[in-house]
Amino acid sequence: MSGLDLPHVQGIGLSDNSNLAHYLTRAFSYQNTYYHQEPLLDICRPSSRWIESVDFLLSSDVFEHVPSPVEKAFEGACKVLRPGGLLVLTVPCDARAQTTEHFPNVRNFRILDFESEWLLLGKTPEGAFEVHRDLIFHGGPGTTVELRFFSENHVIKLLEDAGFHDIRVHKESVPEFGIFPPHHEGLPITARK
């Protein structure tokens, strides 16, 4: 990315890796955002500050962690992009028939370390509580829990339903961008608003 200088192109990332964010900041008018700290962006409910504010949005392995219904994240991504804007997305996905929701009834939850075992205590829309074990974490135990593993076809449908078009799963090898198929948990996907 050295030599690229497009300060008029505005973009944001969703908790991007600091190395990637460094290069993007040098090449574009780019800002990394977070769910838990400033600059704050809840992709499921973007505030008016973010609506149609950017030309591109990077979401690298984020949507598998957002609370249900996941459709809100795809809709939020479309809202923050200007017309013609580009979403660059990675999520764990494969050719399975449908997305696997690990906790389909849970809307609000807490992760608990109970007697050296990590548990998810969740509340359903009806007010009932559920306890789940054998959690999958990204980043180590007690960090960011995986809420779902996507079907590639479902991701495409979610993008279409949110208003995206020109959806492309990048299956070709592009070593200079770190794309080395086959990849066991999804490939980069681009979609245009």
Side-chain angles (χ1 to χ4, degrees), residues 6-65:
L6 300 169
H8 63 283
V9 177
Q10 295 183 318
I12 54 176
L14 301 178
S15 300
D16 282 337
N17 173 285
S18 60
N19 291 329
L20 176 61
H22 170 76
Y23 286 108
L24 291 168
T25 302
R26 292 177 52 201
F28 304 101
S29 177
Y30 164 85
Q31 184 175 33
N32 205 3
T33 65
Y34 304 92
Y35 179 74
H36 65 291
Q37 68 184 39
E38 290 293 334
L40 189 67
L41 172 56
D42 178 350
I43 198 61
C44 295
R45 289 174 289 287
S47 68
S48 59
R49 166 188 179 188
W50 299 108
I51 303 301
E52 292 193 355
S53 64
V54 294
D55 301 302
F56 69 89
L57 168 65
L58 298 181
S59 177
S60 178
D61 296 333
V62 172
F63 287 18
E64 67 271 24
H65 304 293

Side-chain angles (χ1 to χ4, degrees), residues 46-122:
S47 68
S48 59
R49 166 188 179 188
W50 299 108
I51 303 301
E52 292 193 355
S53 64
V54 294
D55 301 302
F56 69 89
L57 168 65
L58 298 181
S59 177
S60 178
D61 296 333
V62 172
F63 287 18
E64 67 271 24
H65 304 293
V66 302
S68 294
V70 71
E71 289 84 356
K72 296 290 184 192
F74 288 87
E75 293 164 5
C78 195
K79 287 178 184 176
V80 302
L81 288 166
R82 294 179 178 134
L86 186 70
L87 171 64
V88 180
L89 172 75
T90 61
V91 292
C93 67
D94 60 19
R96 65 186 63 198
Q98 58 190 14
T99 293
T100 303
E101 288 284 345
H102 300 315
F103 320 106
N105 299 322
V106 171
R107 295 300 176 265
N108 297 316
F109 65 89
R110 297 280 186 271
I111 303 299
L112 307 170
D113 182 1
F114 186 75
E115 297 180 356
S116 301
E117 182 178 8
W118 290 100
L119 304 172
L120 182 142
L121 174 63

